[in-house]
Amino acid sequence: MTLIEITKIILAILLLLISFLAVNEKKIIKSVIYLSALSMLTVVSFVLMRAPDAAVTEAVIGSGLVTSLFIFTLLSVNKEEKK
Amino acid sequence: MKKTLAFIVVIVLSLLIILELNNNDLFPKFGDVDLTQRVSYRYVTKNLDFPVIFGETQNPESGPANIITSIIVDYRSFDTLGEVSVLFISSFGVAFLLGSGHIVKRLDLNLKPNFMLRVGAKPLFAIILMTGVYITLHGHLTPGGGFPGGAMIASSILLLYLADQQFRAKIKGFKLLESISGTLYVAIGLIGLIFANYFLRNFLPTGTVGNLFSSGIIPIIYVLVGLKVGSEISGIVDSFLTTEEPI
């Protein structure tokens, strides 16, 4: 087994683990952060699978924009609940 | 009990999928596919008898050095038009639900931007914006293109929103830019329909593979798509971060 194959297996296990944590986390903000980490790992796996186009798009949208929109929504919902 | 049941269902479903895809004629192993029998073979060779060489091949059927771009914007350009309209409809929905034409102001989220964020945001804004413009312009040569480039432009706008609590972009200008670029995309398609008999057909000479000014209408369309996506996502970000003024 070469180094890249070992990396791929570790990556796959981490992806499964982090998606499980994202589903089962009680606090929503932590779940959003796990989702962001998941899409960052997906970027690495896209690069290893030689799909740089998909990797660039996933890096910008998955871990950048979508996470920030989730966090803004959570913050504004928390603010409304406090009133 | 519920969790065990869900676990068993997931295991059974994944077993079914794996058993179905194994030894399936339509789904051969990675690397065992005879590409000459597939449609994508034509996309890779660009309908030439000899292999495509970067920087030398003249006037192929489709110009981009990046095969994915030649599929997305040339062979399947109508799909891209559909994708762009899906994004337009979603941004329209967000604007319909969250924003309106009344007096709006920034949502107060009790986020105090610290010194590093306030000072570092402006140079980082320039760097991210230039990266987005570069990726959009070089969509036919390197990985990326209109969609990631436009999303990068929107994330640079998002950085400005984060750094300043009172900042608001000129959303009316973004809306104008978005409608103009969408209209021009359809207009280019109609020019292709009139002069080359097919909607969105490449009617300009494709030039040398690998040059910045090559592959006909593809860089023009990608710049339009980048502007449209960037302004649409900036509008979505603005709708999320503003609220209506209570009267």
Side-chain angles (χ1 to χ4, degrees), chain A residues 16, chain B residues 3-18:
Chain A
L16 278 176
Chain B
K3 275 187 179 173
T4 333
L5 205 66
F7 192 68
I8 291 169
V9 169
V10 167
I11 293 284
V12 168
L13 281 178
S14 52
L15 261 180
L16 278 178
I17 291 170
I18 290 167

Side-chain angles (χ1 to χ4, degrees), chain A residues 20 24 26 49-54 56-58 60-61 64-65 68-73 75-77 79-80 82, chain B residues 3 66 68-69 107-111 135 142-145 147-148 151-152 154-155 158 162 233 236-237 240-241:
Chain A
F20 184 78
N24 271 305
K26 288 279 190 297
M49 284 189 273
R50 295 177 192 176
D53 275 87
V56 171
T57 316
E58 178 77 29
V60 177
I61 293 177
L65 284 168
S68 60
L69 286 187
F70 267 131
I71 287 175
F72 290 145
T73 316
L75 283 176
S76 56
V77 167
K79 199 176 159 253
E80 288 294 314
K82 267 182 195 169
Chain B
K3 275 187 179 173
N66 184 5
I68 298 166
T69 304
L107 199 63
D108 186 22
L109 290 175
N110 292 329
L111 276 177
I135 282 184
T142 52
F147 279 96
M152 268 182 205
S155 50
L158 174 74
L162 276 180
I233 299 180
I236 291 177
V237 167
F240 265 79
L241 282 174

Side-chain angles (χ1 to χ4, degrees), chain A residues 20-77:
Chain A
F20 184 78
L21 283 174
V23 172
N24 271 305
E25 181 60 52
K26 288 279 190 297
K27 275 188 142 180
I28 300 178
I29 189 102
K30 278 186 185 174
S31 182
V32 169
I33 299 299
Y34 279 131
L35 216 60
S36 175
L38 184 73
S39 58
M40 217 60 233
L41 281 175
T42 320
V43 171
V44 181
S45 67
F46 277 146
V47 171
L48 286 180
M49 284 189 273
R50 295 177 192 176
D53 275 87
V56 171
T57 316
E58 178 77 29
V60 177
I61 293 177
S63 57
L65 284 168
V66 169
T67 311
S68 60
L69 286 187
F70 267 131
I71 287 175
F72 290 145
T73 316
L74 271 176
L75 283 176
S76 56
V77 167

